[in-house]
Amino acid sequence: MRGFIGRRPILSGIIAFVALLLVLESFPVIPETKQAVVVRFGKPVRIYNQYKAGRPIGAAGAGINWRIPFAEQLVWIDKRVQDVDMQRQQVISTDQRRLEVDAFARYRIVNPTLMYVRAGTEQQLTDQLRPILGSEVRNELGRIEFASLLTPERQGIMDSVRTSLNRIARQYGVEVLDVRIKRTDLPDGAPLSSAFDRMRTAREQEARSIRAQGAKQAQIIRAEADAEAARTYAASFGKDPDFYDFYRAMQSYQQTFIGDGQEKVAGTTIVLSPQNDYLKEFSGRGGPK
């Protein structure tokens, strides 16, 4: 062997290089974050390091594996969670609001063989999922009112979108984990101004309704209080007429000189004789006779 290498060093080097190439081609190293579909003449035959639910990344499957050199190729498929962004588009809600919606979905490839057969590559898979995501978001948001997106009901809407999208994505060997709306805006210009005007009008109507209800309740309470006061006055007048006269005189003095405590008394000058009947409670002439 040494003699052969010495006599034909170039040929020996070529043979060594080919042998090394065969070894590298025969025993590929599978990264922990990748799944490898082994394709033999265009047909998938087996999978290395396939994702399994509940099994952490880095478990059995990664590392050194084997294949038939030149006859089998490896198609690399990411094992981690990936995302696809929906193209920003307009959606019309049930209350006829035009919305600018921007959403995204997070997914994982759980069946690499099916994904390879249906989509081919990860980029082609993303290109096929993007319009499907847009269609499902548009259909779901078209069934609700704009205000629902501002309430906790929004999470239920996204769950419905995820369920619908996952039903279709399963055909590509994909499991959809989550769907989220990044932004929901009204278009700039007249639609946005019109929406603000409608919101302002609705709040003003609500405020007027609340004030009307408050005024109605106040009138009811005031009427009940006046009725109760009248009954009390009548009862007191029947039991002690002198006390009733004294009480009514005190109320008159309060309204005249102090006011009701809510509005300031206007500056008024009153000139009365000390013997005037109106001032009898001040002069002590209002006692029992």
Side-chain angles (χ1 to χ4, degrees), residues 44-288:
V45 292
R46 59 185 179 278
I47 303 172
Y48 290 134
N49 197 30
Q50 183 175 1
Y51 169 79
K52 297 293 183 181
R55 187 171 70 180
I57 293 179
I64 299 177
N65 287 276
W66 67 274
R67 66 171 173 173
I68 301 174
F70 307 110
E72 296 180 344
Q73 289 78 39
L74 297 182
V75 177
W76 300 103
I77 297 176
D78 206 313
K79 196 176 182 180
R80 297 166 295 184
V81 175
Q82 304 179 64
D83 60 82
V84 54
D85 285 320
M86 182 188 76
Q87 293 179 349
R88 189 178 180 87
Q89 57 184 287
Q90 280 196 358
V91 177
I92 300 179
S93 61
T94 53
D95 51 354
Q96 300 304 308
R97 301 284 182 86
R98 292 185 177 273
L99 310 176
E100 295 284 347
V101 180
D102 191 3
F104 71 95
R106 301 173 69 238
Y107 67 92
R108 175 185 278 118
I109 299 173
V110 296
N111 190 333
T113 302
L114 186 59
M115 176 265 171
Y116 171 76
V117 173
R118 293 292 178 85
T121 65
E122 293 184 30
Q123 183 59 48
Q124 292 175 343
L125 172 65
T126 301
D127 294 339
Q128 295 186 41
L129 289 179
R130 184 175 289 112
I132 298 174
L133 171 62
S135 176
E136 293 300 325
V137 171
R138 186 169 55 252
N139 292 339
E140 194 65 33
L141 297 187
R143 302 191 186 102
I144 64 172
E145 296 183 355
F146 171 68
S148 300
L149 294 176
L150 308 178
T151 65
E153 185 181 348
R154 173 173 177 165
Q155 182 58 44
I157 297 170
M158 291 297 97
D159 290 341
S160 298
V161 175
R162 182 186 62 80
T163 301
S164 300
L165 179 61
N166 193 44
R167 189 180 304 113
I168 301 175
R170 284 287 184 180
Q171 302 174 13
Y172 296 89
V174 170
E175 178 186 7
V176 178
L177 305 177
D178 195 12
V179 177
R180 297 287 179 177
I181 292 180
K182 293 191 289 187
R183 293 190 62 180
T184 304
D185 299 326
L186 293 169
D188 295 334
L192 184 60
S193 301
S194 177
F196 285 155
D197 291 339
R198 287 196 298 269
M199 293 172 66
R200 186 184 301 109
T201 301
R203 295 299 177 268
E204 290 174 352
Q205 291 177 349
E206 184 179 359
R208 285 195 294 269
S209 176
I210 293 174
R211 283 195 294 267
Q213 289 293 332
K216 180 180 178 180
Q217 292 296 327
Q219 290 178 352
I220 294 174
I221 294 173
R222 190 179 297 110
E224 293 176 349
D226 290 343
E228 182 67 23
R231 287 193 295 269
T232 303
Y233 291 156
S236 64
F237 180 75
K239 294 181 180 180
D240 192 345
D242 292 336
F243 175 77
Y244 181 76
D245 291 341
F246 172 77
Y247 181 75
R248 294 295 293 172
M250 293 298 104
Q251 284 187 317
S252 177
Y253 294 158
Q254 179 182 14
Q255 293 292 333
T256 302
F257 303 117
I258 300 177
D260 59 2
Q262 297 180 357
E263 298 182 1
K264 185 177 180 181
V265 180
T268 303
T269 301
I270 301 177
V271 180
L272 296 173
S273 169
Q275 286 75 34
N276 190 283
D277 288 340
Y278 184 68
L279 301 178
K280 63 182 180 179
E281 298 298 342
F282 283 127
S283 60
R285 292 182 287 113

